[in-house]
Amino acid sequence: MKVVFAGTPEFAACALRALIDAGFDIPLVLTQPDRPAGRGMQVQASSVKQVALDHGIEVLQPLSLRMDSKDPQRASQAQAAHARLAALGYDVMVVAAYGLILPRSTLDIAPCINIHGSLLPRWRGAAPIHRAIESGDAETGVTIMGMEEGLDTGPMMLIERVAIDDGDTTGSLHDKLAALGATMIVEALRRFERGALPATPQPAAGVSYAAKISKDEARLDFTLPAVDLWRKVRAFNPFPGAQGSVNGTVVKIWNALPADGAGTPGQVLTADAQGIVVACGEGALRLVQLQKPGGKRLPAGEFLKGFALEGLVFA
């Protein structure tokens, strides 16, 4: 069976590695164009592109797959991509966190199967892992689904559940779901090859949307309940990193726990090696790993050296 793969970040790269290891014929990979990344903002290839090149797989990086785009460059790249896809005669396209919308013209070439990091129909959209943690969900998972033109609305083929632990961050949960998705897509394609991959329409009830995470969400509002802020700290680790400010200095907060205490929201109640306890709208939040501007992530005890906080206020 000939498989075209479309994806961009590490979540997708895990699946691509699994399909290569399972022996599927992958003649072509679609991924996002190289872009600046990291502190130095050096232009970098996507994780998926790196895996493809390591295995000698052809890579296409169109800006768009919409042949009717009003941008001549995007339209030209889309036309070239479709011509290449049509010439391949592939059996199925696997899509995982690609970052481009697949138009009807792409979906019509061959069946498209998507790896989505949530229990659909909950958390359709761009940031399902972040939003599941932020909302306090007890579990999430991976859904293998057929693709259609709607946003993550296609029929479900396989679904597996994963508990969200109190210590999970988006980073740790991402790794769990990426590994699970990689295993599931291999199983799905083997079933597809045998004609034994039934699809079930998503239920109409329980639909929610996971909006893309913006850097503007990073600033914590200490008038909120401590449990809400604890979830945000975990949801925003590693991106964009939760933030507070003290006397105008922006401080990143990488790990925190709900704590006992009360006071004016933002007030530092105690500050020691066990953490910096900050009053919230309800309860208090113990900040246990923080980062000064230009510094490293540090446990609270190390962070406090040269950064006295007793009696100050987080805003």
Side-chain angles (χ1 to χ4, degrees):
M1 188 167 63
K2 192 177 292 186
V3 181
V4 168
F5 189 88
T8 298
E10 183 58 29
F11 182 91
C14 287
L16 178 57
R17 292 187 196 98
L19 293 174
I20 292 169
D21 291 345
F24 287 98
D25 178 12
I26 305 173
L28 178 69
V29 159
L30 300 175
T31 191
Q32 288 271 345
D34 298 358
R35 291 196 170 97
R39 283 193 174 186
M41 295 303 288
Q42 298 293 315
V43 175
Q44 295 182 18
S46 73
S47 297
V48 163
K49 181 179 179 179
Q50 293 173 28
V51 172
L53 294 180
D54 287 346
H55 289 84
I57 299 172
E58 180 185 355
V59 176
L60 289 182
Q61 297 175 272
L63 291 167
S64 172
L65 288 173
R66 293 191 174 278
M67 293 187 288
D68 59 354
S69 172
K70 295 181 180 179
D71 182 321
Q73 182 184 14
R74 289 172 181 267
S76 175
Q77 290 185 7
Q79 289 164 7
H82 278 88
R84 183 70 185 112
L85 289 170
L88 281 173
Y90 60 96
D91 299 290
V92 63
M93 179 183 288
V94 171
V95 183
Y98 179 27
L100 290 185
I101 294 173
L102 300 191
R104 172 52 58 189
S105 54
T106 307
L107 298 173
D108 283 344
I109 297 174
C112 296
I113 298 177
N114 180 245
I115 309 168
H116 187 75
S118 83
L119 301 174
L120 290 171
R122 185 160 176 80
W123 301 130
R124 295 173 178 172
I129 301 174
H130 298 79
R131 300 306 181 191
I133 293 177
E134 184 185 18
S135 296
D137 291 4
E139 63 177 4
T140 184
V142 172
T143 304
I144 305 296
M145 68 173 196
M147 293 191 70
E148 54 188 35
E149 287 185 279
L151 178 62
D152 298 328
T153 58
M156 302 179 296
M157 298 167 170
L158 294 177
I159 190 162
E160 294 285 348
R161 298 174 181 274
V162 172
I164 300 178
D165 299 329
D166 285 350
D168 270 327
T169 64
T170 287
S172 67
L173 191 55
H174 165 280
D175 292 349
K176 294 177 188 179
L177 297 183
L180 177 60
T183 299
M184 290 173 66
I185 193 60
V186 170
E187 175 63 19
L189 290 194
R190 286 174 174 157
R191 292 190 190 185
F192 181 82
E193 207 166 13
R194 301 194 302 266
L197 189 63
T200 303
Q202 293 184 35
V207 174
S208 62
Y209 290 91
K212 184 178 180 180
I213 300 294
S214 80
K215 291 183 178 180
D216 295 338
E217 296 181 69
R219 181 64 64 91
L220 297 181
D221 178 359
F222 286 93
T223 65
L224 294 175
V227 68
D228 290 355
L229 297 182
W230 168 57
R231 291 167 180 163
K232 288 180 182 291
V233 169
R234 294 161 50 220
F236 298 160
N237 181 351
F239 176 85
Q243 296 178 2
S245 66
V246 185
N247 284 353
T249 299
V250 175
V251 174
K252 286 207 169 186
I253 302 161
W254 294 109
N255 195 6
L257 294 166
D260 295 329
T264 303
Q267 178 185 358
V268 176
L269 303 177
T270 61
D272 54 34
Q274 277 63 57
I276 300 160
V277 179
V278 182
C280 302
E282 292 179 18
L285 192 68
R286 185 183 300 276
L287 315 182
V288 297
Q289 188 185 46
L290 306 95
Q291 183 179 11
K292 303 171 186 176
K296 298 179 180 178
R297 300 187 187 191
L298 296 172
E302 293 296 312
F303 177 86
L304 287 168
K305 293 178 180 178
F307 205 99
L309 289 176
E310 194 96 30
L312 295 179
V313 173
F314 268 81

